[in-house]
Amino acid sequence: MAHDTHIHVRSQAEFEYTKKKRAEEMRGHLATFAIMIFLTLIAFTMVTAGFSAYLIVPIVLLLAAIQVVLQLYYFMHMSGKGHGMVAFFMFCGMFVAFITILALVTIVWW
Amino acid sequence: MDINQKYTPQSWPEHPETATMEGKNKFIGFWLLLAAETVTFASLFATYLALKDKGPSGMEFSAAGLYELPLVFAMTMILLTSSLTSVYAMYHMKNHNFKAMQAWLGITVLLGATFLGLEIYEFNHYVHLGFGYTNSAFSSAFYTLVGTHGAHVLFGLSWFIALMLRNAKRGLNMYNAPKFYLASLYWHFIDVVWVFIFTVVYLMGVIG
């Protein structure tokens, strides 16, 4: 049946090891979260401080891109094993997304 | 084997979300949906960018004069925190700690509902100022983009609540572990879209 799985009862040592590894991973997620908050703060501060738009726009877009990479690779575990097809799907989606935005933004210029 | 097979933390697989064929299929199918959603939102972002500040001559509202950053900042922090709380929920799911997972999902739902409440307040405020959906090409593009995201938040909240209630007495097993995992992926994706909304719509809108 579709829900079948092999039941493997882990030894105490194996269990403790996985648990410890997971707790370490969770600490990593907390660090990722701190970085995301920090990036958001920089973006909002830059706009409120009123720097030149030519300076702000590329920087806030870069900060957004970094935040999305952190979200996808760490919070959504795309950096984990068995995410090859997932990455293929997402990069195809992002490629079509990029073309769509490029097309509609340039059409209104001409 | 019974789908309601009981597990202990020792017998719980390391990756319960993809331990069964059902889970593997759900996992790959759901990521395909997220890739398609990326394109959906891209078309809405493209429409917004093309129509930003465009409309009938003499229109009253422009992005630079309309948006209020303090509210958007609060919404951003709330949604970002709810993303972390759903990571905590999945951490406990992988440790087979059902109660802790439910508690963190509950916090995620509360934060998500606060976000949605603030968004409704924001839209209501704009409409009262006279910035309605049919006001200009700009207003339609704005409400469609941000409103579609809001609808995703509402769907994500309903999904979490339905899962929490349906499985309240069942506990964690191979039947529902993939379901909880996918709902949390969806929630992260909602935050990914919001990162671009607060950057492209609000921050770049305020600069002009």
Side-chain angles (χ1 to χ4, degrees), chain B residues 139-158:
Chain B
S139 77
S140 307
F142 167 79
Y143 283 119
T144 307
L145 170 59
V146 184
T148 305
H149 176 266
H152 278 73
V153 174
L154 182 66
F155 183 81
L157 286 177
S158 320

Side-chain angles (χ1 to χ4, degrees), chain A residues 1-12 14-19 21-26 29-30 33 36-41 43-45 47-48 51-54 56-57 60-65 67-68 71-72 74-78 81-83 85-94 96-98 100-105 108, chain B residues 1-3 5-16 19-23 26-29 31-32 34-36 38-39 41-43 45-47 49-51 54 69-70 72-73 76-77 80-84 87-88 90-91 94-96 174-175 181 184-189 191-193 195-196 198-200 202-204 206-208:
Chain A
M1 228 191 83
H3 291 281
D4 276 359
T5 182
H6 169 72
I7 293 186
H8 166 68
V9 180
R10 283 173 283 186
S11 69
Q12 191 59 29
E14 211 182 342
F15 174 65
E16 298 285 345
Y17 173 73
T18 328
K19 214 172 161 180
K21 208 173 59 175
R22 223 165 252 154
E24 270 166 24
E25 198 189 27
M26 196 58 230
H29 284 320
L30 261 177
F33 176 70
M36 286 156 103
I37 291 278
F38 185 61
L39 296 180
T40 310
L41 280 173
F44 274 88
T45 314
V47 172
T48 325
F51 294 117
S52 153
Y54 293 102
I56 296 175
V57 171
V60 291
L61 282 176
L62 180 70
L63 293 178
Q67 225 187 109
V68 163
Q71 185 87 239
L72 284 169
Y74 296 102
F75 280 15
M76 295 169 82
H77 309 288
M78 247 174 80
K81 273 182 196 158
H83 282 71
M85 192 51 93
V86 164
F88 174 69
F89 288 162
M90 286 311 279
F91 287 129
C92 286
M94 285 175 198
V96 178
F98 175 72
T100 310
I101 291 170
L102 190 69
L104 264 87
V105 170
V108 291
Chain B
M1 192 178 64
D2 181 16
I3 60 165
Q5 161 86 35
K6 293 269 185 260
Y7 287 85
T8 63
Q10 265 88 351
S11 68
W12 191 236
E14 203 171 332
H15 289 287
T20 60
M21 183 52 79
E22 174 89 10
K26 280 197 164 107
F27 174 81
I28 208 75
W31 273 99
L32 185 58
L34 291 185
T38 307
V39 180
F41 276 103
S43 68
F45 270 107
T47 311
L49 286 169
L51 297 177
K54 303 266 189 324
L69 282 189
V72 176
F73 181 73
T76 304
M77 286 297 156
L80 194 56
T81 310
S82 81
S83 206
L84 179 76
V87 169
Y88 267 109
M90 286 311 106
Y91 167 71
K94 289 192 173 177
N95 278 337
H96 200 265
M174 279 303 133
Y175 168 68
Y181 187 81
S184 94
L185 279 184
Y186 187 76
W187 196 253
H188 291 309
F189 183 76
D191 196 57
V192 164
V193 175
V195 168
F196 282 113
F198 88 70
T199 303
V200 173
Y202 293 102
L203 291 182
M204 283 164 63
V206 168
I207 313 170

